[in-house]
Amino acid sequence: MVREFAISAGGITVAGATTLIFVNPPAAPNFALRFLRFWVGQSANATSAQQRIELINKASVFPTVTAATPTKLKVADPNVSIITGGTAGAIGTAGTNASAEGAGTATVHHDDTFNALNGWLFVPTPDETKEYPAGFGNGLGLYFPVAPATLTNWAFGTHFAER
């Protein structure tokens, strides 16, 4: 059975240009993370506004985030994720809604825009999935490169498989 998990948050106030989710693959040699789905939505108002969104790869200095422990997508799966909640982007951890971005560089894998009224859903086809091998040393971030027009009531998340 493929082990599948979700990391999500809702009702969140973002600080501006912000990492919404950051996941750093584990050091263990027998697991890779394959990201299957990403989403972002907002429910604070009914004003149409475009928003940029990026999937980034960040190395060295990671964002400071709120720890987020992945939840199972397959309830009968007896395993827990190899990813644990963490606040500093360390190897094998995940978090949401960065309070500080840290220094260092980021490589943009996917740059997109969406209307805040409609939200954003990205379900990559198999050839487009983002796969991070164990011990890669770089984390995957879902990132607002510019501050949204409204900072309150954001919901976002990702589904991933441990392979």
Side-chain angles (χ1 to χ4, degrees):
M1 176 181 344
V2 174
R3 300 158 44 125
E4 294 180 356
F5 299 92
I7 298 171
S8 63
I12 301 295
T13 297
V14 298
T18 297
T19 297
L20 303 175
I21 295 175
F22 189 78
V23 182
N24 202 344
N30 33 339
F31 279 104
L33 303 181
R34 177 174 277 183
F35 291 86
L36 308 170
R37 170 186 298 257
F38 301 91
W39 66 90
V40 178
Q42 192 265 359
S43 63
N45 64 43
T47 302
S48 179
Q50 291 298 108
Q51 176 62 42
R52 286 188 56 213
I53 186 84
E54 294 176 344
L55 291 176
I56 61 170
N57 175 35
K58 193 156 189 171
S60 67
V61 182
F62 306 118
T64 302
V65 291
T66 301
T69 301
T71 58
K72 297 177 191 180
L73 290 178
K74 296 179 178 179
V75 179
D77 185 351
N79 298 301
V80 295
S81 177
I82 56 174
I83 299 294
T84 60
T87 59
I91 291 173
T93 66
T96 62
N97 197 23
S99 59
E101 291 301 321
T105 59
T107 302
V108 177
H109 287 280
H110 185 89
D111 199 349
D112 206 350
T113 60
F114 67 97
N115 190 289
L117 294 178
N118 298 327
W120 181 73
L121 175 65
F122 177 51
V123 182
T125 64
D127 289 341
E128 295 177 311
T129 55
K130 308 300 180 199
E131 189 159 324
Y132 281 62
F136 183 58
N138 296 335
L140 176 84
L142 180 63
Y143 180 67
F144 277 166
V146 295
T150 299
L151 300 177
T152 58
N153 282 340
W154 286 95
F156 41 82
T158 185
H159 289 173
F160 65 92
E162 296 177 354
R163 304 169 33 86

